[in-house]
Amino acid sequence: MAKIAIYARVSTEGQADEEVPINGQIDECRKFAADKGWEVTEVFTDAGFSGRTDDRPAFRRMIEIIKTSPNPKPFDIILCWRSNRLFRSVEHRLAYSRVFRRHSIRFVAMHEPEFEGASAMFMETVLAAADELYVSQVSEDTLRGLKQIAMAGYSTGGKAATGYRNVRKVAGLKPNGEPILRTGWEIDPDYAPRVKKAFEMCANGSSGPEIIKATGVVTSPSSLVSLLRNRAYLGERIYNVMKQVDGKTRRRANTKPEDIIKKENAHEAIISPELFDKVQAVLERKRPHIQGRVQNSKRTYLLTGLLWCKEHQALYTGNTNASLNYYVCSAKRKLGAKISPCRNVKKETVEKFILDNLKSHAFTSKRIRAGLEYFARENQKNKQEDDRERKDLLIKINKVELELKRFFEAIASGVNPENLTQPIEERSDLKNKLYLQLAEIDRQREIDLLLPDITDTMVEGIRSKYIDMFAASPEKLKAILPEFIDRIELDETTARIKYFAVEEQKVGCNWRPQGDSNPRSPP
């Protein structure tokens, strides 16, 4: 009998007695569990906590129990009335779904369809793709504004280049007449002469250590090269030359010229174009040119740790010789081919088969659209909850402001202020807390407005993104596959793919070995 934990939550104290109260959620979940033959062992409840944060007492306690409990695991399933009781953000859903998966715990929402097989695995990737799409839209809007600032010759943020200093300038007027301030660069009288001297010394053949010692503009040769290649000293403003990769801090050169902003005469130049060109020629002559042969990388077996021999319940491991790469059953390695005559598997054949089936059966337009529609429905429910939560907060704010008004009226009528100091401070703190919660809801509502309609173009764009994933380097692809697949069991005619988050294995399709019919020979 499966052991389950029930999690129930309402966002505000007022909702505890409205809509679906906590006790109502728990009762429905208990009945659902009883119908399934599940045993309820834990009940976690958070009353008055928003699902947008994971800083909820009962939720944190549940996660701590999952992470720290020794085997056997504390429960097999986490059951909720709806998924938004447990998660209100895609980021949290993806993060904690991985925690559940690592500990072999399922998550079930009783009023939502339970995705199985490739769908269960794929839902996480669709949610992640949708989240990335919406975040990308915010980033694009931000980038568009920063480009406009750079095109006007102003700084988009950060420290000025050595030799300059930031200064605030009036760039225009707001509709109400207030000035619009932007950050520009002006000559730094202390460092600009040193920068010019560094360029002149380089042009005249001085070494890097000599330039650093004489000018003090940088502390290392690599930093000196960066300084000497910086076109900002010609008075140019260049923005978006480097871009972020995969939303991470790792940066790479922007290969789209149309995305790079170049503004001449954005600020006063420190050096002349002739001096800059002369220095670039010197740097190019000093650049090392390494010649040599690149060694072939070690062969990567994508399915290591995933491919199992059904007969022996043993892993297949990679084996390479001078002319062939193949997987061999580890039981066969240990016991010998006569005792374990299971078939060797050609590396290229089985890897292509598995990847093709993932593309054809898991990453389909139908599954992507189903995931996006589910995401949209959840977002609509979240908006409705936001409206109720916002209304409840406004009522509380009005009540607190009325109490404060009465306190101050009492003081004006002659009541000793010291007698009301503590209640005034308490109400003021509560008022600030409520306004912060209201601001967070309004911020989330602005983000929700960015959600686009689900179109065929969007669906195909997301599908292309994940199909392109299979063109990644073997090392990266090997790291990605365990995110989707628990194991692949092979016998003579069938490949059975078991995805995460399902109780039973699902047959992908038949795999027919190619080549010699001898079971001991590789296909």
Side-chain angles (χ1 to χ4, degrees):
M1 178 184 293
K3 296 181 179 180
I4 74 163
I6 293 174
Y7 180 85
R9 177 189 65 82
V10 289
S11 297
T12 63
E13 294 176 1
Q15 285 182 321
D17 298 319
E18 300 174 4
E19 299 301 324
V20 182
I22 281 183
N23 288 338
Q25 295 178 33
I26 295 173
D27 289 344
E28 287 195 39
C29 286
R30 285 188 181 276
K31 185 178 184 303
F32 183 85
D35 293 341
K36 293 280 189 178
W38 297 341
E39 177 188 359
V40 177
T41 60
E42 296 273 359
V43 177
F44 300 92
T45 60
D46 280 315
F49 290 90
S50 172
R52 279 184 297 273
T53 175
D54 59 354
D55 188 14
R56 295 169 256 151
F59 179 82
R60 300 304 304 176
R61 183 165 58 89
M62 180 179 70
I63 296 300
E64 187 65 21
I65 289 174
I66 292 173
K67 289 183 175 180
T68 59
S69 294
N71 288 328
K73 56 190 174 185
F75 34 80
D76 305 297
I77 299 169
I78 296 173
L79 177 64
C80 287
W81 188 72
R82 284 193 182 278
S83 61
N84 62 11
R85 299 302 85 204
L86 195 59
F87 310 111
R88 284 289 306 275
S89 93
V90 173
E91 178 184 357
H92 290 157
R93 177 165 189 149
L94 295 177
Y96 289 108
S97 290
R98 286 179 173 83
V99 173
F100 300 160
R101 191 174 67 195
R102 283 198 300 270
H103 295 273
S104 301
I105 294 174
R106 288 173 57 201
F107 165 60
V108 176
M110 59 173 291
H111 285 292
E112 295 169 10
E114 185 177 1
F115 295 91
E116 294 185 348
S119 295
M121 168 276 296
F122 190 62
M123 273 300 301
E124 289 190 13
T125 62
V126 170
L127 289 174
D131 185 48
E132 182 178 332
L133 175 67
Y134 305 143
V135 171
S136 295
Q137 288 183 325
V138 176
S139 299
E140 289 175 3
D141 292 340
T142 302
L143 179 61
R144 191 178 300 111
L146 293 175
K147 284 182 178 180
Q148 293 295 326
I149 293 173
M151 289 174 64
Y154 297 106
S155 170
T156 56
K159 294 176 62 178
T162 303
Y164 293 98
R165 60 189 180 189
N166 287 330
V167 59
R168 298 290 279 173
K169 298 180 179 181
V170 177
L173 295 176
K174 298 179 181 179
N176 61 4
E178 294 182 5
I180 298 174
L181 297 178
R182 292 282 184 260
T183 299
W185 289 359
E186 67 176 13
I187 294 289
D188 184 334
D190 294 329
Y191 276 88
R194 301 188 198 180
V195 170
K196 186 174 182 180
K197 183 178 180 180
F199 274 86
E200 292 172 343
M201 290 181 67
C202 179
N204 293 327
S206 298
S207 67
E210 289 173 341
I211 298 173
I212 293 172
K213 183 177 181 181
T215 64
V217 289
V218 293
T219 58
S220 68
S222 60
S223 298
L224 178 62
V225 172
S226 297
L227 181 142
L228 295 174
R229 292 192 182 279
N230 194 343
R231 299 186 65 86
Y233 298 115
L234 294 170
E236 296 182 6
R237 168 79 60 195
I238 303 178
Y239 175 69
N240 207 33
V241 175
M242 305 298 289
K243 65 178 181 178
Q244 287 189 332
V245 179
D246 297 332
K248 301 178 181 178
T249 55
R250 180 164 51 93
R251 295 167 68 82
R252 187 172 295 168
N254 196 335
T255 56
K256 296 182 179 179
E258 65 273 15
D259 287 343
I260 299 175
I261 304 300
K262 296 181 179 180
K263 171 70 175 177
E264 296 183 355
N265 301 319
H267 45 265
E268 185 179 350
I270 293 178
I271 61 171
S272 66
E274 293 77 17
L275 178 57
F276 185 85
D277 291 341
K278 188 174 181 180
V279 168
Q280 303 316 301
V282 171
L283 294 177
E284 188 62 28
R285 287 197 299 270
K286 291 183 177 181
R287 174 183 290 183
H289 297 281
I290 301 174
Q291 295 182 348
R293 194 173 52 178
V294 178
Q295 294 183 352
N296 293 328
S297 59
K298 183 180 179 181
R299 180 69 64 179
T300 300
Y301 286 82
L302 301 181
L303 305 181
T304 300
L306 299 177
L307 199 62
W308 287 76
C309 172
K310 182 178 180 181
E311 180 180 355
H312 300 102
Q313 285 300 296
L315 279 167
Y316 276 91
T317 57
N319 188 78
T320 302
N321 59 31
S323 60
L324 190 62
N325 305 299
Y326 56 91
Y327 292 91
V328 59
C329 172
S330 54
K332 180 178 179 179
R333 283 179 180 270
K334 183 177 180 180
L335 303 175
K338 291 184 178 180
I339 299 177
S340 300
C342 45
R343 174 181 202 78
N344 293 347
V345 182
K346 192 183 224 180
K347 176 183 183 297
E348 290 76 12
T349 301
V350 70
E351 288 181 355
K352 183 178 184 303
F353 171 81
I354 295 300
L355 295 181
D356 286 348
N357 274 273
L358 279 175
K359 295 178 193 177
S360 302
H361 300 288
F363 295 94
T364 64
S365 299
K366 182 178 180 180
R367 293 188 190 279
I368 292 172
R369 182 174 288 278
L372 290 173
E373 289 173 349
Y374 170 83
F375 184 84
R377 289 194 300 272
E378 285 303 298
N379 183 65
Q380 184 61 35
K381 296 187 186 81
N382 291 342
K383 287 182 178 179
Q384 294 171 356
E385 182 176 332
D386 282 342
D387 291 339
R388 293 194 298 268
E389 188 175 345
R390 196 175 192 279
K391 180 179 178 181
D392 188 81
L393 286 171
L394 289 173
I395 293 172
K396 288 184 177 181
I397 289 171
N398 290 334
K399 180 180 178 181
V400 172
E401 289 180 337
L402 181 60
E403 290 176 342
L404 286 170
K405 180 180 178 182
R406 289 173 179 170
F407 287 148
F408 290 122
E409 288 175 349
I411 292 174
S413 65
V415 174
N416 187 348
E418 294 182 358
N419 296 334
L420 296 176
T421 298
Q422 182 176 348
I424 288 177
E425 290 179 351
E426 291 175 350
R427 299 303 189 280
S428 297
D429 290 342
L430 177 59
K431 177 182 174 181
N432 291 336
K433 179 181 178 181
L434 294 173
Y435 268 116
L436 287 175
Q437 294 177 9
L438 187 63
E440 173 61 21
I441 291 177
D442 290 340
R443 185 192 68 80
Q444 186 65 40
R445 286 161 66 97
E446 291 180 1
I447 294 175
D448 290 342
L449 291 176
L450 297 171
L451 301 181
D453 294 331
I454 300 171
T455 63
D456 292 341
T457 301
M458 178 195 298
V459 171
E460 288 307 314
I462 294 175
R463 183 173 184 273
S464 296
K465 171 183 173 61
Y466 283 97
I467 295 302
D468 290 345
M469 175 183 69
F470 291 97
S473 66
E475 293 78 12
K476 185 174 181 180
L477 190 54
K478 182 178 179 180
I480 291 172
L481 290 179
E483 292 292 317
F484 308 138
I485 300 172
D486 182 21
R487 65 162 61 189
I488 305 162
E489 287 191 347
L490 293 185
D491 61 17
E492 288 297 317
T493 59
T494 304
R496 185 179 294 270
I497 302 174
K498 182 181 179 184
Y499 299 101
F500 279 109
V502 293
E503 289 182 337
E504 297 179 357
Q505 296 174 0
K506 304 294 179 183
V507 176
C509 61
N510 287 340
W511 167 68
R512 301 192 181 280
Q514 302 172 359
D516 195 314
S517 59
N518 182 349
R520 287 195 294 269
S521 65

